[in-house]
Amino acid sequence: MAKKKKKFDYFAAYAELAALAVEESHLLIETVERFPSADRFEQTMAHAHDIENRGDKINHGIYQNVACDFVTPFDREDILALASSFDDILDTIDDVFQRFYMYGIETVHEGVLPFARIIAKSCESLNAAMDDFQNFKKSKEFKRYVVEVNDCEEEADALFRESMRRLHVQESESPLHVHVWSHMFERLEKCTDACEHVADVMNTVIQERLAIFADE
């Protein structure tokens, strides 16, 4: 008799992805606060890339199972959209580490740490929201966490504007300085955009599921 296939746990997979986002965002803060030497930074960059690769493996499991599972916990398109959105968070944070390396950064601009802390707060809110994502009918905190992620994105937008103005008005003596940090701030701001997109997808899924239960 053939052994019955173990049912894939999509919610557990998303929880792992959220936890990886928190881990990577905390690594970013640690790196910015104590920017390592060139040799040590290569190890840090490898650590960040390992986190991103672990996320890729989890997403591979999601993609593989959604293609063959007869019944899924919610719409297949939303399952894939959420997996892809988490992948974007891990990729964009990893990209920040990659650009530190490519640009040969040795001293971090003081405007980076506030960005790193906003990114971490946004990832932490997504991670907390995961506790309510599966048990959405009993959820009491999910909406608050989604609002927190949205607030983080708005805070990052404001910080981005002020950081770019500072670069071009107060720190414009070196075109290379402006070029490098303009790109870095753009990448950091993109991280919070990615977090907001995950929150939006999760919120859409819950609203769709609530509507289905309301019609039953």
Side-chain angles (χ1 to χ4, degrees):
M1 183 177 178
K3 187 176 180 180
K4 186 177 180 181
K5 178 188 172 184
K6 183 179 179 181
K7 189 174 182 180
F8 184 78
D9 190 337
Y10 292 93
F11 294 105
Y14 293 133
E16 289 182 56
L17 289 171
L20 286 177
V22 172
E23 181 182 348
E24 194 172 32
S25 67
H26 286 180
L27 179 63
L28 179 60
I29 289 179
E30 179 184 331
T31 302
V32 173
E33 288 180 332
R34 305 178 187 84
F35 203 77
S37 63
D39 291 341
R40 289 290 302 278
F41 183 74
E42 289 192 19
Q43 297 176 19
T44 301
M45 186 172 64
H47 184 183
H49 198 55
D50 175 67
I51 295 170
E52 190 266 337
N53 283 337
R54 279 186 273 157
D56 285 343
K57 290 179 181 178
I58 295 168
N59 271 329
H60 178 71
I62 293 173
Y63 299 147
Q64 193 173 41
N65 281 276
V66 77
C68 58
D69 280 351
F70 184 70
V71 177
T72 56
F74 52 94
D75 185 81
R76 295 173 194 274
E77 186 175 316
D78 289 333
I79 287 174
L80 295 175
L82 188 53
S84 176
S85 298
F86 268 117
D87 186 55
D88 286 344
I89 294 177
L90 298 175
D91 283 348
T92 51
I93 299 177
D94 181 55
D95 188 52
V96 172
F97 285 97
Q98 297 292 328
R99 287 174 186 273
F100 275 135
Y101 175 76
M102 289 187 290
Y103 292 150
I105 302 297
E106 295 181 354
T107 304
V108 179
H109 193 289
E110 64 183 32
V112 174
L113 184 55
F115 261 116
R117 287 173 175 162
I118 293 171
I119 292 165
K121 182 179 178 182
S122 191
C123 290
E124 289 162 2
S125 295
L126 286 175
N127 192 42
M130 270 297 150
D131 291 338
D132 285 342
F133 186 55
Q134 180 171 2
N135 301 313
F136 66 99
K137 288 190 288 184
K138 298 179 181 179
S139 171
K140 295 181 180 179
E141 302 292 336
F142 180 80
K143 288 184 179 179
R144 177 170 69 85
Y145 292 129
V146 168
V147 170
E148 285 181 0
V149 175
N150 292 335
D151 288 345
C152 284
E153 195 277 333
E154 290 182 7
E155 187 179 352
D157 281 348
L159 181 59
F160 176 73
R161 288 192 298 271
E162 293 307 312
S163 298
M164 294 295 282
R165 176 173 173 79
R166 176 178 174 179
L167 279 176
H168 290 85
V169 175
Q170 300 176 21
E171 303 175 6
S172 59
E173 297 84 0
S174 169
L176 180 60
H177 174 83
V178 174
H179 172 79
V180 166
W181 289 108
S182 291
H183 281 278
M184 291 302 298
F185 287 134
E186 286 172 0
R187 292 295 166 174
L188 289 161
E189 195 271 336
K190 188 177 179 182
C191 293
T192 58
D193 287 343
C195 289
E196 184 182 45
H197 187 57
V198 168
D200 289 343
V201 174
M202 290 171 66
N203 192 46
T204 297
V205 169
I206 282 190
Q207 295 307 314
E208 289 175 349
R209 295 172 78 196
L210 285 172
I212 291 171
F213 277 93
D215 291 339
E216 290 181 350

